[in-house]
Amino acid sequence: MINELKVFLPAHITGFFEIITNDDPRFKGSRGAGITLDEGVVTHTKVTPGSGRVEILVNGHKNELNTVSQTTIDVICDLFNVDLSCYDIFIEHSHTFPVGSGFGTSAGFALGVSFTLPTLLGIDVSYHMAGEIAHLAEIRLSSGLGDVIAAMEGGCVVRLREGSPRFGIIDKIITPQPIYVICKTLGSLETSGIIDDPSYQMKINSSGSSLLDALIRNPNIENFINLSYKFAKNTELINPELNEIIDIMRDETLGASMAMLGNTAFALSYTPDISIEDCIITRLNMSGVKYITQK
Ligand SMILES: Nc1ncnc2c1ncn2[C@@H]1O[C@H](COP(=O)(O)OP(=O)(O)O)[C@@H](O)[C@H]1O
Ligand SMILES: CC(C)(COP(=O)(O)O)[C@@H](O)C(=O)O
């Protein structure tokens, strides 16, 4: 039996969204649209016979960022009634984007665990069930609502129905040629502080719903980024400093907006050229979850 697996999950930037609550976390989530990137989170998981030790590293460090991973392990134990006392588990996440800045990093951590640990424990989970495990961890922590279902698929993902990957419904916007994604981050935003705040929920939902309808009527990448900017303005989530950067980006690209939920500007372009310093430049991901080592 294999004792280690490595998997890649693309980062996911939400352009606009609508919060859909439900007492059943499998049916709680968001509708909206976003893009996945060719960079994200690589997770390397090893399981050996042992005494219940769990070690989680994030970019080589043990720190508070192991909460999402630990919560995903807890979800696996709850769902499959697993006793970990006779295993030692080692998980290492490597991520290129800053946490909490609108790149869906928490979803990448959760999916990295859910697409490796069950298999290494001999638990047979389907592709969509592995996604559901990560979704349940995100909902439990309020660290995300719809990144999981989008990151698994790749591309420019439209979330038509909320929920875990077993119940949510997505579609994709076809891009005629390769798309560069240009990002400039000024810092983080606390996701839970926004998605759990009733006043933000009202602004988000009153705007997100109509923008999704507008994208469905005209499903193309330029419309996505322009509707995303409308959302950032309508919800008043954008700040003047970020707006200045977005204005410059918009003049040089197909369009630009704020990455939800982070203090980050992102632009879509057919070329990697931009006049702004210190941008992260990558490509629209088309593959979704990808095993680096074979199952
Ligand atoms: N590994 C982690 N452990 C604990 N909390 C995390 C972890 N990753 C992200 N978070 C928290 O979850 C929320 C969403 O994180 P993240 O998905 O990285 O946000 P974003 O998509 O905005 O970058 C943030 O509040 C962040 O602080
Ligand atoms: C926008 C957000 C609710 C949070 O995104 P992040 O902060 O990147 O986890 C996302 O999960 C979504 O549902 O679209």
Side-chain angles (χ1 to χ4, degrees):
M1 187 168 134
I2 53 170
N3 71 343
E4 60 182 292
L5 276 173
K6 195 181 273 192
V7 68
F8 165 78
L9 270 301
H12 175 252
I13 293 176
T14 293
F16 61 85
F17 67 106
E18 179 188 4
I19 299 167
I20 313 291
T21 57
N22 193 303
D23 290 339
D24 184 334
R26 297 174 300 167
F27 301 102
K28 180 176 180 179
S30 61
R31 299 177 193 147
I35 54 166
T36 56
L37 310 182
D38 268 352
E39 293 179 45
V41 178
V42 172
T43 299
H44 185 190
T45 303
K46 285 183 191 171
V47 175
T48 54
S51 55
R53 282 178 60 246
V54 177
E55 185 177 5
I56 300 169
L57 299 182
V58 177
N59 279 0
H61 303 289
K62 283 186 190 176
N63 62 23
E64 74 287 344
L65 283 182
N66 64 7
T67 313
V68 170
S69 315
Q70 185 56 62
T71 302
T72 308
I73 294 171
D74 296 344
V75 168
I76 293 167
C77 291
D78 295 346
L79 286 178
F80 301 100
N81 195 23
V82 180
D83 175 6
L84 297 180
S85 61
C86 54
Y87 301 99
D88 281 348
I89 296 170
F90 172 80
I91 297 171
E92 177 156 25
H93 299 294
S94 307
H95 64 97
T96 42
F97 295 110
V99 162
S101 303
F103 295 101
T105 316
S106 57
F109 291 142
L111 284 161
V113 175
S114 70
F115 270 88
T116 55
L117 186 58
T119 299
L120 297 174
L121 293 171
I123 302 167
D124 183 18
V125 293
S126 70
Y127 170 81
H128 288 103
M129 189 62 213
E132 180 159 298
I133 291 166
H135 175 82
L136 293 174
E138 286 259 271
I139 298 296
R140 192 177 289 188
L141 289 169
S142 289
S143 53
L145 291 168
D147 293 306
V148 161
I149 193 170
M152 286 168 66
E153 290 306 312
C156 178
V157 180
V158 184
R159 283 166 276 144
L160 301 169
R161 190 171 77 187
E162 69 286 352
S164 88
R166 283 208 299 153
F167 302 104
I169 296 177
I170 61 146
D171 200 345
K172 288 192 188 181
I173 288 179
I174 306 302
T175 49
Q177 61 191 81
I179 297 283
Y180 286 93
V181 184
I182 302 165
C183 306
K184 170 84 175 175
T185 189
L186 300 178
S188 62
L189 287 178
E190 189 54 49
T191 296
S192 57
I194 294 172
I195 63 177
D196 293 340
D197 179 319
S199 67
Y200 270 122
Q201 286 176 353
M202 193 168 62
K203 289 179 192 171
I204 286 166
N205 287 1
S206 61
S207 177
S209 174
S210 57
L211 295 174
L212 180 57
D213 293 341
L215 183 61
I216 293 167
R217 285 195 299 273
N218 188 13
N220 64 64
I221 201 81
E222 291 88 348
N223 195 26
F224 159 72
I225 193 70
N226 292 328
L227 293 171
S228 296
Y229 184 63
K230 280 183 183 169
F231 180 78
K233 299 290 277 184
N234 295 347
T235 55
E236 299 172 332
L237 283 165
I238 202 165
N239 63 64
E241 187 185 9
L242 197 66
N243 203 33
E244 271 182 40
I245 293 170
I246 290 169
D247 284 344
I248 298 167
M249 282 182 158
R250 188 189 298 113
D251 290 343
E252 301 177 26
T253 64
L254 294 171
S257 188
M258 172 183 174
M260 298 296 164
L261 285 162
N263 195 5
T264 298
F266 76 105
L268 303 182
S269 178
Y270 290 134
T271 77
D273 307 322
I274 196 83
S275 62
I276 299 173
E277 298 287 318
D278 302 326
C279 285
I280 303 167
I281 300 175
T282 182
R283 300 276 286 261
L284 181 68
N285 172 270
M286 302 310 285
S287 59
V289 56
K290 192 165 64 177
Y291 279 98
I292 297 165
T293 55
Q294 289 315 311
K295 282 177 71 171

